[in-house]
Amino acid sequence: MIRAVCFQWWEDCFPCCIPTILWKPGEQKRSKEPSSLQCMHLAVVACGDRLEETLIMLKSAVLFSSRRLCFHIFSEDSLKPEFNKKLQEWPSSYTKKFEYNIYPITFSVGNAQEWKKLFKPCAAQRLFLPVILKDVDSLLYVDTDVLFLRPIDDIWHILKEFNSTQLAAMAPEHEIPKIGWYSRFARHPYYGTTGVNSGVMLMNLTRIRNTQFRNSVIPSGLTWEEMLYPLYQKYKNYITWGDQDLLNIIFYFNPECLYVFPCQWNYRPDHCMYGSNCKGAEEEGVSILHGNRGVYHDDKQPTFKALYEVIRDFPFEDNLFQSLYYPLQSKFLDTVHTLCGRIPQVFLKQIEKTMKKVYENRVIVYLGANHRY
């Protein structure tokens, strides 16, 4: 018989529930699939002083996701030992949830130094992911200054919503065209009415590799790799945001290839610092936080900084509500004087829902002598 079932309120029960149940009574054990089939692939590019940001982003991914993760970390050689050291220091209950590879910064076409200096150090590396990761079918790319407030599993499901022509997904750069950057200042083609932001980019790499893209360089189509450098050469004197501008140009000429997901999947200070303008976040809460403009490290947007610091300081094995959620609520009290801080429910809704889900997944069922794995 079942000796004990840990189904109390999570605040009382969570500390005792460190192990994770692999199956429930009445369910058959799942056969093991190759890790490549189970993996949700996550890529990030880290150069310069982005080590800590990257580790906190990866930590948020591991804390909340259910399926196994495969991290693809592109970094300067000097950062590789530090990534290895820090990731191997994480407790085994979390390291068993992911595998990782660290890659050097490489560009398959054009001038490597030009690419490396485009916008921010190494940021253009993301353009070459379909070329480098030839064995990966689908991938989520994020900037280092991203935090996951719900499982990656949920954005991964969007891949199933792609139609037959779509091969990438991004969120709009802005919700209101009249105050958006692209609609006011861009000197090059861009997607839609406001452009798209490439800080969170879901990609079907197989489709990208197999597609001939319309372009403004030659009348016929070009593969992704063939198109990158000629496109850069044509527009390099007109682009401001580097590789993001190139992506906007590509999808301007190939709009049927892009799936646009709502703003809660790439929530930035612009969505609240001028007044709340992301309806999806108001209704469902922020799913992925994007702290661009360095807001995790200054006092311009204390709500964003509070989330970053609480996840950074959270001890892996502690009670999520006591050591993450409650400190977050406390820090938010100090941000109510700001426009973003006036809407704390937008930031808390998904993370609270996610914590409840994590709790449910960690419930322990002790089996008696008559029950066998």
Side-chain angles (χ1 to χ4, degrees):
M1 59 179 291
I2 298 177
R3 290 200 206 117
V5 181
C6 195
F7 277 123
Q8 301 169 27
W9 179 252
W10 48 82
E11 187 176 5
D12 298 326
C13 174
F14 209 54
C16 73
C17 296
I18 298 298
T20 302
I21 186 167
L22 299 178
W23 64 287
K24 298 176 184 178
E27 289 184 342
Q28 292 184 347
K29 287 176 65 178
R30 295 179 181 177
S31 59
K32 290 187 177 180
E33 298 177 358
S35 61
S36 60
L37 296 178
Q38 296 177 325
C39 258
M40 297 180 293
H41 294 271
L42 176 66
V44 64
V45 179
C47 287
D49 60 356
R50 298 304 180 108
L51 174 72
E52 183 190 84
E53 269 190 4
T54 306
L55 289 167
I56 305 310
M57 179 276 292
L58 296 175
K59 183 179 183 180
S60 71
V62 170
L63 279 176
F64 301 133
S65 295
S66 301
R67 284 178 55 191
R68 186 169 180 80
L69 295 162
C70 290
F71 297 148
H72 302 273
I73 304 167
F74 291 80
S75 78
E76 296 167 312
D77 292 340
S78 59
L79 295 180
K80 184 175 180 179
E82 208 54 31
F83 271 117
N84 280 322
K85 178 185 174 186
K86 294 293 185 182
L87 290 171
Q88 289 165 17
E89 287 175 353
W90 290 4
S92 60
S93 56
Y94 286 91
T95 57
K96 70 183 181 183
K97 294 175 64 177
F98 68 90
E99 56 190 72
Y100 71 97
N101 284 296
I102 302 176
Y103 308 81
I105 302 297
T106 55
F107 305 98
S108 61
V109 295
N111 185 307
Q113 289 307 309
E114 274 190 287
W115 285 123
K116 194 168 185 179
K117 294 175 182 177
L118 184 63
F119 186 46
K120 291 182 180 178
C122 308
Q125 182 71 81
R126 86 184 91 181
L127 296 173
F128 294 86
L129 296 178
V131 180
I132 298 169
L133 301 175
K134 295 183 184 297
D135 295 329
V136 176
D137 175 67
S138 296
L139 177 83
L140 176 64
Y141 165 86
V142 296
D143 285 349
T144 61
D145 52 10
V146 155
L147 293 172
F148 294 95
L149 305 187
R150 66 189 289 182
I152 291 181
D153 311 57
D154 297 336
I155 192 170
W156 197 256
H157 289 154
I158 292 177
L159 286 165
K160 297 180 180 178
E161 298 178 17
F162 283 13
N163 65 26
S164 60
T165 64
Q166 290 165 338
L167 46 76
M170 287 184 277
E173 172 63 22
H174 212 285
E175 300 303 301
I176 305 171
K178 67 180 180 180
I179 60 174
W181 193 92
Y182 283 108
S183 52
R184 291 185 295 162
F185 305 118
R187 296 184 296 153
H188 58 78
Y190 57 89
Y191 178 86
T193 57
T194 62
V196 285
N197 184 282
S198 60
V200 179
M201 186 175 177
L202 190 63
M203 293 177 276
N204 184 315
L205 299 184
T206 302
R207 288 188 180 183
I208 292 174
R209 287 187 287 264
N210 293 336
T211 297
Q212 292 282 318
F213 292 89
R214 292 189 300 276
N215 60 89
S216 60
V217 180
I218 63 172
S220 61
L222 291 170
T223 67
W224 185 267
E225 186 176 18
E226 291 170 341
M227 175 177 53
L228 290 177
Y229 195 60
L231 209 62
Y232 167 68
Q233 286 296 312
K234 179 171 182 176
Y235 291 103
K236 66 180 180 180
N237 295 323
Y238 304 96
I239 59 178
T240 302
W241 306 112
D243 53 306
Q244 176 173 294
D245 289 348
L246 291 179
L247 288 165
N248 267 281
I249 295 167
I250 290 169
F251 290 113
Y252 168 84
F253 289 106
N254 302 271
E256 75 284 357
C257 293
L258 189 66
Y259 178 107
V260 179
F261 49 62
C263 48
Q264 64 263 32
W265 292 105
N266 186 350
Y267 191 90
R268 285 158 277 126
D270 284 353
H271 289 120
C272 55
M273 62 189 287
Y274 306 115
S276 182
N277 59 58
C278 176
K279 285 190 165 99
E282 291 171 8
E283 295 170 0
E284 299 181 18
V286 175
S287 297
I288 296 179
L289 193 75
H290 185 182
N292 62 346
R293 302 180 182 176
V295 294
Y296 296 148
H297 312 294
D298 59 33
D299 296 319
K300 293 178 182 176
Q301 297 298 333
T303 312
F304 283 73
K305 186 177 182 180
L307 267 158
Y308 178 82
E309 290 180 343
V310 167
I311 294 176
R312 180 195 66 195
D313 298 339
F314 172 71
F316 272 105
E317 301 285 14
D318 271 19
N319 179 304
L320 278 168
F321 271 85
Q322 289 179 350
S323 299
L324 198 153
Y325 187 74
Y326 295 150
L328 190 56
Q329 284 186 315
S330 178
K331 278 180 175 283
F332 274 8
L333 291 175
D334 298 326
T335 74
V336 293
H337 63 285
T338 68
L339 283 171
C340 293
R342 291 176 188 174
I343 48 173
Q345 70 281 1
V346 166
F347 297 89
L348 294 172
K349 189 176 292 187
Q350 272 299 331
I351 203 167
E352 181 177 1
K353 182 179 177 181
T354 297
M355 287 183 186
K356 291 178 181 178
K357 188 180 294 186
V358 170
Y359 159 73
E360 291 166 359
N361 289 341
R362 290 189 175 191
V363 167
I364 304 303
V365 179
Y366 294 97
L367 302 175
N370 294 330
H371 291 79
R372 294 286 183 269
Y373 286 91

